[in-house]
Amino acid sequence: MKNILITIALFCCIQSIQAQTVDTAPSIYKNELGVDAGYFIKQFLDFSGTSSYLTPTYFLYYKRLMKPGNLRFAFSAEYEREQETSPYDFDSAEYYNVTSSFNFKVGWEFVSTLNKNWLLYYGIDLAALPETRNYEADDFEDNYVFELTSQNFIFGAGPFLGIRYNINPRISLSTETSFFVLRSSSQATYKYIPLIENLPELPDDIEPVETRTYSSYIPPYSLIFSIQL
């Protein structure tokens, strides 16, 4: 019942926007801002239970609208801080594991008109993802705490295909799918910190740089709400 009321409310809002703009001639805009509402809708309505497929890779979109096509950017950032507790009764220190990342992509898109309201867009994106992990307590063993520091950088490129519905000349909803070929480069360093005074100091363990190439398909689970400015 709650979902039905929310759907009716959204429909009324859309109809109100259309009624206000139906007699207004479309203007020429050069900028477009978008937010992927897929994540928020999932949290509010819980379409798929514990599935994480609706969580968007990018939250904020920007397009520079041009005649031959559109220059597009997308961003998101993540920060996670978790507290870890020592399994040893004599160790009352507080440990925190921190992960931070920044997602960025830039691309070029072309647009094909299907009818008055529906558009098809496609193109190619270049993507980059730097990630850092600083774990004060990655593990505990033999009265040592393992501290981890790692750097991971991912970059790649791939095509995308999307469909867009124009609610009015300025506001639209869209979803898209993409396929990336990515290459990652990562390195980790472990420090072994003794928790008892008479334990020997252990040397740091610096792992060699690890690289790999892989592909990633992103299904069309996004719901991008955009406005032209």
Side-chain angles (χ1 to χ4, degrees), residues 3-229:
N3 293 352
I4 295 175
L5 293 176
I6 294 172
T7 303
I8 293 173
L10 290 173
F11 179 79
C12 292
C13 290
I14 292 173
Q15 292 300 314
S16 176
I17 293 172
Q18 287 179 322
Q20 294 174 11
T21 58
V22 66
D23 296 327
T24 303
S27 302
I28 298 176
Y29 301 97
K30 296 296 184 181
N31 303 288
E32 181 177 289
L33 290 178
V35 175
D36 188 347
Y39 174 79
F40 303 102
I41 292 177
K42 179 201 172 190
Q43 298 299 316
F44 196 59
L45 299 181
D46 194 17
F47 284 129
S48 56
T50 59
S51 175
S52 61
Y53 284 133
L54 283 179
T55 303
T57 304
Y58 302 95
F59 298 103
L60 183 64
Y61 290 77
Y62 169 76
K63 294 181 183 180
R64 180 64 176 177
L65 307 179
M66 304 177 183
K67 288 184 179 180
N70 301 322
L71 181 64
R72 55 186 247 147
F73 302 87
F75 314 86
S76 70
E78 297 180 5
Y79 179 85
E80 183 178 4
R81 185 173 184 260
E82 295 183 348
Q83 184 175 358
E84 293 291 335
T85 303
S86 173
Y88 304 114
D89 294 335
F90 60 83
D91 182 19
S92 60
E94 294 183 350
Y95 299 96
Y96 293 94
N97 294 343
V98 177
T99 302
S100 59
S101 64
F102 176 74
N103 299 340
F104 172 78
K105 70 177 179 179
V106 57
W108 188 265
E109 71 174 28
F110 298 96
V111 179
S112 296
T113 302
L114 300 179
N115 57 38
K116 181 180 178 181
N117 295 102
W118 291 95
L119 300 174
L120 193 70
Y121 63 94
Y122 53 92
I124 190 168
D125 281 329
L126 303 177
L129 168 58
E131 181 187 56
T132 301
R133 295 183 181 182
N134 292 303
Y135 287 4
E136 295 179 346
D138 184 58
D139 199 2
F140 294 88
E141 186 176 336
D142 298 331
N143 294 321
Y144 286 88
V145 56
F146 298 175
E147 183 178 296
L148 166 66
T149 301
S150 69
Q151 302 284 340
N152 187 22
F153 183 75
I154 303 172
F155 64 95
F160 63 86
L161 174 67
I163 189 167
R164 169 175 176 159
Y165 176 76
N166 291 328
I167 299 174
N168 63 40
R170 294 185 62 190
I171 298 175
S172 65
L173 290 174
S174 62
T175 186
E176 62 183 55
T177 182
S178 58
F179 181 85
F180 281 97
V181 176
L182 301 168
R183 184 171 179 82
S184 69
S185 176
S186 60
Q187 186 175 34
T189 300
Y190 289 92
K191 293 183 178 181
Y192 306 101
I193 302 174
L195 299 177
I196 300 178
E197 292 184 359
N198 60 352
L199 286 177
E201 296 283 344
L202 299 179
D204 295 347
D205 182 9
I206 302 176
E207 296 186 349
V209 177
E210 180 181 351
T211 60
R212 66 188 183 104
T213 302
Y214 59 99
S215 60
S216 178
Y217 169 67
I218 301 176
Y221 290 118
S222 59
L223 182 60
I224 305 168
F225 178 85
S226 303
I227 182 169
Q228 294 183 5
L229 303 171

